[in-house]
Amino acid sequence: MAFTLYSLIQTAILCTNAIAVLHEERFLSKVGWAVDQGVGGFGDDPGIKAQILTLIRSVRTVMRVPLIIVNSACIVLLLLFG
Amino acid sequence: MRQRNSSMEGPDGSQLFEDTSGAGPRTQSGYRNQQTEPQQAGFAGQSLLSDPMSNLAMAYGSSLASQGKEMVDKNLDRFIPISKLKYYFAVDTVYVGKKLGLLVFPYMHNNWEVSYQQDTPVAPRFDVNAPDLYIPAMSFITYVLVAGVALGTQNRFSPELLGVQASSALVWLIMEVLAVLLSLYLVTVNTDLTTIDLLAFSGYKYVGMIVGLVAGLLFGRPAYYLSLLWCCAAIFVFTIRTLRLKLLSEAAAEGKLVRGTRNQLRMYLTMSIAAAQPIFMYWLTYHLIR
């Protein structure tokens, strides 16, 4: 119950890592969640599954480099200060 | 009369006191001399203002300060939109009173639409339905203080606990806003709700929490449960009626049954956002009333 802002940051890092780790070829296409196939018309709204897939793909693309930096910093800090 | 003169003649003709008036016989060279001589008490102010060196220093310092202020303003405006925030704090006493009454008793209010003025929403001062950030901010701080009082009556208080309460409530607020943003993205609702609007709507539940906590402190557990139940129902109705106009399409907002998965999803979304408010209200207050 006693959350701190630091635990929020930790949660955010862990969740973003979890989303970024889902590999396109090895995992997502096996499940059937590959790059949004057949999203079809632009006028109609894409639906929840396509939105989730777009979200995963954009998190992977955008956050790859910042996650490397943040994870390295986190590892160093945890090694030094426990 | 002659003793009143600031420069008194001594026995050998030299002046006993300095001629401190600026209209003395020494005018141009007097400046430098006054700087090098030890300053007298009431005299330093006048020389500081009239000295060109310190004039220059003051002008330079004030120009540096204004440059620094400009830079800070410009950079701060990139991260936190200050001008947009000012809109949310444009409230007055009448608005606050009406809004608080609406948060506790929303059943008689009929018109929930936000009025616009040439495409921009009207400031909260002129429209009861507009969201503001004053009430959520004030009620958050009041909630932390009342939580401190509640802990104090149970002899569990220490100053660090205030910070712990504040940060955990803040974390829950941030997580709730993020969850609502994520679900709004997933359901692809085209709405004009900004993040700050969502923050305001999530912050309104602190008013109900404070009412429940104060009732529980004054009258004991049954009063706490009763008032919390009342406030939970009120916040539920308030949230549904406010969000219905923003999230649902026109026809569905007027109460007609519109078929289709999109509108169903939006209705579920509104319901779940509204249902999350009482849950949070109970979760954040039950451990304070023993």
Side-chain angles (χ1 to χ4, degrees), chain A residues 4-51:
Chain A
T4 57
L5 284 175
Y6 176 64
S7 67
L8 186 68
I9 297 178
Q10 269 187 326
T11 316
I13 293 180
L14 283 175
C15 282
T16 324
N17 275 333
I19 296 183
V21 163
L22 300 170
H23 195 273
E24 187 66 45
E25 297 172 2
R26 291 183 203 155
F27 172 66
L28 289 181
S29 18
K30 304 271 170 58
V31 184
W33 277 22
V35 166
D36 34 9
Q37 305 146 341
V39 81
F42 283 104
D44 214 4
D45 63 328
I48 293 198
K49 184 175 164 188
Q51 287 287 98

Side-chain angles (χ1 to χ4, degrees), chain B residues 131-185:
Chain B
D132 72 311
L133 274 182
Y134 174 79
I135 292 183
M138 289 292 137
S139 47
F140 180 78
I141 297 176
T142 314
Y143 159 76
V144 174
L145 294 175
V146 171
V149 169
L151 287 174
T153 57
Q154 300 160 23
N155 291 328
R156 283 194 293 159
F157 180 76
S158 77
E160 294 92 29
L161 277 182
L162 273 183
V164 165
Q165 285 288 327
S167 58
S168 63
L170 197 64
V171 162
W172 281 115
L173 189 70
I174 292 177
M175 288 213 294
E176 181 187 350
V177 170
L178 283 180
V180 170
L181 274 176
L182 181 71
S183 45
L184 278 179
Y185 168 75

Side-chain angles (χ1 to χ4, degrees), chain A residues 14-81:
Chain A
L14 283 175
C15 282
T16 324
N17 275 333
I19 296 183
V21 163
L22 300 170
H23 195 273
E24 187 66 45
E25 297 172 2
R26 291 183 203 155
F27 172 66
L28 289 181
S29 18
K30 304 271 170 58
V31 184
W33 277 22
V35 166
D36 34 9
Q37 305 146 341
V39 81
F42 283 104
D44 214 4
D45 63 328
I48 293 198
K49 184 175 164 188
Q51 287 287 98
I52 298 182
L53 297 181
T54 317
L55 185 67
I56 294 180
R57 191 150 164 253
S58 48
V59 165
R60 220 178 26 236
T61 321
V62 167
M63 297 293 285
R64 185 159 274 172
V65 174
L67 268 183
I68 295 177
I69 300 175
V70 168
N71 280 332
S72 323
C74 207
I75 290 173
V76 168
L77 283 176
L78 280 176
L79 278 177
L80 286 180
F81 300 117

Side-chain angles (χ1 to χ4, degrees), chain B residues 3-277:
Chain B
Q3 280 91 2
R4 294 257 181 104
N5 203 351
S6 62
S7 60
M8 293 182 62
E9 301 286 331
D12 45 350
S14 63
Q15 289 183 339
L16 268 185
F17 302 108
E18 305 293 332
D19 188 3
T20 61
S21 64
R26 304 168 293 170
T27 50
Q28 302 295 330
S29 57
Y31 286 83
R32 305 274 157 73
N33 283 342
Q34 284 165 6
Q35 192 185 12
T36 53
E37 282 160 358
Q39 305 293 339
Q40 292 179 0
F43 185 64
Q46 189 181 3
S47 82
L48 202 58
L49 287 176
S50 53
D51 187 14
M53 290 294 288
S54 53
N55 261 346
L56 193 62
M58 259 176 50
Y60 186 57
S62 63
S63 84
L64 262 188
S66 64
Q67 264 182 20
K69 184 172 174 316
E70 262 178 45
M71 210 164 55
V72 165
D73 279 343
K74 195 174 60 165
N75 279 334
L76 196 61
D77 207 26
R78 267 194 298 165
F79 295 122
I80 309 175
I82 298 258
S83 47
K84 283 191 218 153
L85 273 185
K86 277 192 195 170
Y87 160 78
Y88 289 96
F89 284 98
V91 295
D92 62 344
T93 325
V94 175
Y95 169 82
V96 171
K98 279 199 222 166
K99 193 85 179 191
L100 286 178
L102 210 60
L103 281 168
V104 179
F105 195 78
Y107 308 108
M108 304 289 290
H109 192 76
N110 285 327
N111 183 20
W112 291 84
E113 284 190 10
V114 181
S115 43
Y116 283 84
Q117 183 196 16
Q118 296 161 354
D119 244 5
T120 58
V122 173
R125 197 177 290 144
F126 305 114
D127 181 20
V128 185
N129 296 319
D132 72 311
L133 274 182
Y134 174 79
I135 292 183
M138 289 292 137
S139 47
F140 180 78
I141 297 176
T142 314
Y143 159 76
V144 174
L145 294 175
V146 171
V149 169
L151 287 174
T153 57
Q154 300 160 23
N155 291 328
R156 283 194 293 159
F157 180 76
S158 77
E160 294 92 29
L161 277 182
L162 273 183
V164 165
Q165 285 288 327
S167 58
S168 63
L170 197 64
V171 162
W172 281 115
L173 189 70
I174 292 177
M175 288 213 294
E176 181 187 350
V177 170
L178 283 180
V180 170
L181 274 176
L182 181 71
S183 45
L184 278 179
Y185 168 75
L186 285 183
V187 180
T188 60
V189 173
N190 285 329
T191 174
D192 53 353
L193 276 181
T194 63
T195 315
I196 308 186
D197 280 340
L198 289 174
L199 197 64
F201 288 132
S202 302
Y204 280 142
K205 62 170 159 322
Y206 286 107
V207 177
M209 285 201 272
I210 293 172
V211 170
L213 274 180
V214 169
L217 280 176
L218 289 176
F219 302 116
R221 294 199 73 169
Y224 162 69
Y225 281 125
L226 275 177
S227 50
L228 199 69
L229 204 63
W230 175 270
C231 292
C232 284
I235 289 279
F236 187 72
V237 170
F238 177 85
T239 315
I240 285 194
R241 286 206 183 156
T242 313
L243 287 183
R244 194 171 60 160
L245 287 170
K246 304 236 170 186
L247 291 184
L248 298 182
S249 58
E250 281 294 325
E254 290 171 13
K256 307 190 192 108
L257 279 176
V258 181
R259 296 284 166 196
T261 47
R262 262 179 84 204
N263 282 314
Q264 258 189 354
L265 269 178
R266 290 183 180 190
M267 180 60 84
Y268 285 150
L269 179 67
T270 319
M271 285 285 185
S272 46
I273 293 178
Q277 311 280 324

